[in-house]
Amino acid sequence: MPPLAVVPASSNEAVERLASMADVTASDGALRRFLHGLPGVDAVGQQARAATLGTRSIKTTAKAYAIDLAISMIDLTTLEGADTPGKVRALCAKGVHPDPTDRTAPKVAAICVYPDMVSTAKAALAGSGVHVASVATAFPAGRASMPVKLADTRDAVADGADEIDMVIDRGAFLSGRYLEVFDAIREIKAACRRDDGSAAHLKVIFETGELKTYDNVRRASWLAMLAGADFIKTSTGKVAVNATPPVTLLMLEAVRDFRAAVGVQVGVKPAGGIRDTKDAIKYLVMVNETLGDDWLSADWFRFGASSLLNDLLMQRQKLSTGRYSGPDYVTVD
């Protein structure tokens, strides 16, 4: 897998457009006016549009292509208090060779772990092309001081994390303290920089199930992108309501509109609750129909999942052999 794509903000036009929006974030009041001035979301229409896209039928060669694409977009994840170095190394081995009986199966995009497991994952993945992602900023609740969140991030980056998945302070956001959330994202973004001038990519997690309304999801999307997010991500996978098609569609529309406005492309990552091939393909159809080919790669779209990979592998084996192998033919994570 090639290195992550660089967000295309290097052109003079893109830089000028982004700079022209500086007034939007100059004060809490200005940011509030901008975010609350975004068009309201028609909830019924949003749900209907997502449902319609979910009815597309994908068969034969197109389905085989979609399965391989989905595998290549997975952030294979273990975020448990009982994680051990052995479990992380086993997950890394699975990420590099998801199907040991078929070396044509693509690698996953990344292995996602807690910060203290980054060095273990980095060593296990050396030379594989699979990235190391780390949750940080007091994941999943985000209830910690900024010095703690920054230290969490810097430690993960110093240990070799290629990507940082941070959580926003939902309490601050829901209280209307938008500039506080914006500044926190900017500080974490700065903490992602390495001594050699490169930087880990930053994914910003909203925990959309706690934001309650579609309007809040749209506002959070624009806030994070203005603050420099490389990806916007739905959820931690640790609450009752995680990624849903209508919310993901709304975030896809937000990154489309953001690129049209400022010339900067941002990725999207739905996470939590996507467990089978049928659902994964529905999300890929949504990406294709909303954003087109520009986002149909692991550089710009990810699945935050663990159990999804097993179902994709079983469906892949069925297409290849004509037989459904069943769960005993894939490793248990």
Side-chain angles (χ1 to χ4, degrees):
M1 179 180 295
L4 285 171
V6 175
V7 177
S10 57
S11 71
N12 290 334
E13 182 181 5
V15 172
E16 289 170 4
R17 286 186 196 172
L18 198 55
S20 72
M21 299 196 75
D23 289 345
V24 168
T25 58
S27 69
D28 202 42
L31 185 55
R32 180 189 305 277
R33 285 190 295 274
F34 175 80
L35 294 177
H36 283 264
L38 293 169
V41 180
D42 174 0
V44 174
Q46 189 73 18
Q47 291 163 2
R49 172 66 173 159
T52 298
L53 291 172
T55 63
R56 301 287 195 270
S57 180
I58 306 296
K59 304 292 185 184
T60 59
T61 55
K63 183 177 181 180
Y65 171 78
I67 288 173
D68 278 5
L69 182 59
I71 291 172
S72 75
M73 291 173 164
I74 286 178
D75 284 359
L76 193 57
T77 302
T78 183
L79 297 171
E80 302 297 335
D83 285 344
T84 64
K87 181 180 179 181
V88 169
R89 283 190 287 267
L91 198 68
C92 291
K94 182 172 182 177
V96 175
H97 296 297
D99 185 348
T101 69
D102 183 357
R103 291 304 176 99
T104 68
K107 305 170 186 175
V108 302
I111 301 296
C112 186
V113 294
Y114 276 117
D116 64 315
M117 290 292 177
V118 167
S119 58
T120 298
K122 194 71 176 179
L125 293 170
S128 69
V130 176
H131 298 291
V132 176
S134 177
V135 296
T137 64
F139 177 95
R143 311 307 305 182
S145 67
M146 274 308 297
V148 170
K149 293 179 179 181
L150 291 169
D152 204 24
T153 302
R154 292 187 183 115
D155 284 349
V157 173
D159 282 346
D162 303 297
E163 304 166 21
I164 295 294
D165 290 31
M166 70 163 284
V167 289
I168 65 166
D169 183 337
R170 282 84 76 191
F173 181 88
L174 291 170
S175 299
R177 304 199 309 271
Y178 300 131
L179 193 60
E180 181 180 325
V181 179
F182 175 88
D183 288 340
I185 296 170
R186 296 276 289 202
E187 288 187 60
I188 298 299
K189 174 84 170 180
C192 288
R193 297 194 189 102
R194 306 184 186 94
D195 292 340
D196 63 2
S198 63
H201 275 55
L202 180 63
K203 306 192 197 88
V204 178
I205 309 170
F206 303 145
E207 201 69 286
T208 52
E210 294 184 347
L211 297 188
K212 304 300 182 184
T213 70
Y214 292 133
D215 286 343
N216 276 341
V217 173
R218 175 169 282 171
R219 290 167 189 152
S221 298
W222 275 85
L223 186 156
M225 291 187 292
L226 288 168
D230 297 303
F231 264 74
I232 53 176
K233 177 178 171 182
T234 61
S235 323
T236 63
K238 300 295 187 181
V239 297
V241 179
N242 293 289
T244 66
V247 161
T248 304
L249 176 60
L250 180 55
M251 292 167 64
L252 294 173
E253 293 166 343
V255 299
R256 176 198 64 197
D257 296 344
F258 187 75
R259 189 176 75 167
V262 303
V264 175
Q265 187 165 331
V266 176
V268 177
K269 178 180 173 180
I274 306 170
R275 295 187 174 88
D276 61 39
T277 300
K278 185 181 296 185
D279 283 342
I281 290 176
K282 288 178 181 179
Y283 278 90
L284 292 179
V285 168
M286 195 184 301
V287 174
N288 184 59
E289 300 244 351
T290 307
L291 302 175
D293 289 345
D294 286 355
W295 270 268
L296 277 175
S297 79
D299 286 333
W300 302 111
F301 190 77
R302 297 283 182 85
F303 291 106
S306 51
S307 59
L308 172 61
L309 179 57
N310 284 351
D311 193 72
L312 288 165
L313 292 173
M314 288 188 289
Q315 294 299 327
R316 192 177 191 274
Q317 291 166 2
K318 183 175 185 294
L319 287 177
S320 175
T321 65
R323 300 183 304 276
Y324 188 74
S325 299
D328 292 338
Y329 285 80
V330 292
T331 58
V332 177
D333 301 329

